[in-house]
Amino acid sequence: MEGRKLPIAVFVSGRGTNLQSIIDAIESGKLDAEIKLVVSNRSKAYALKRCEKHGIPYEVIPSKRFKTPQEWGEALIEAVKRSGAELVVLAGFMKIVPPNFIEAFENRIINIHPSLLPAFKGLDAQGQAFDYGVTLTGCTVHLVIPELDSGPVIAQAVVPVLPNDTAETLAKRILEHEHRIYPQVIQWFAEGRVRVDNGKVVVLGAKYGTLPFNPQLERF
Ligand code: GRF
């Protein structure tokens, strides 16, 4: 008998490689989730082509179609509620999510950011890390709160900066780890193992609080 699949909505704006890693993890049976809806704020996002290829429903809901962030938020809330999704996965969604949306799905919205938060918030985190000259950076999956690139950390992966790196090669190395940890975190939600305790995330039974560079992960 097939087990329950966690219904999710994925929010995108661009190329959608993280979306693809979620699709691949579902299709290969590693991730017990079902993408009920993809929401894009941009009609030209390449991520939507991936939806077409895999028969995933999507809606384009640009903020500029609405008078206020509040109204845009209401449209997003409506779309997610209609889809039946229980977890909202921001995967390269390049707009600040309105506060009413965050309130409506408190502790049920996650984001991935290409740095070890709280370092290098905002745009081009990989370039910021490269320019700063750190020797270790990585990626972070966290719960979404109104403050940008903040909120309780769920998982992090550490990625080294190598001597011959450019900002581009570094970004590519980080991305490989994004594609590994994001499906893993969604699987933890599917297994009902993610709890928030005193403003911190606890993953029940997790082998690692931080997913290291070359880990033996559970199923990923
Ligand atoms: C990723 O680097 C992610 O960490 C950031 O936006 C980028 C999205 O890439 N939030 P993609 O659209 O998933 O390829």
Side-chain angles (χ1 to χ4, degrees), residues 122-167:
L123 288 176
D124 190 23
Q126 307 95 325
Q128 291 183 52
F130 182 78
D131 290 345
Y132 195 94
V134 294
T135 59
L136 294 170
T137 181
C139 47
T140 303
V141 180
H142 64 95
L143 289 172
V144 171
I145 61 170
E147 197 187 324
L148 187 69
D149 296 330
S150 302
V153 169
I154 308 170
Q156 295 182 300
V158 178
V159 177
V161 183
L162 300 179
N164 293 325
D165 264 340
T166 60

Side-chain angles (χ1 to χ4, degrees), residues 14-19 91-92 94 111-114 126 175 178-179:
R15 62 189 173 171
T17 66
N18 277 288
L19 169 66
M94 299 307 283
N111 182 45
I112 188 155
H113 183 76
Q126 307 95 325
L175 195 61
E178 295 185 35
H179 296 163

Side-chain angles (χ1 to χ4, degrees), residues 25 30-31 179-180 183-185 187 215-220:
K30 288 182 190 161
L31 175 53
H179 296 163
R180 183 171 63 78
Q184 171 75 79
V185 167
Q187 179 62 19
Q216 287 295 87
L217 281 178
E218 293 162 7
R219 289 207 282 161
F220 288 83

Side-chain angles (χ1 to χ4, degrees), residues 54 68 104 107 117:
H54 293 269
T68 61
N107 289 344
L117 289 173

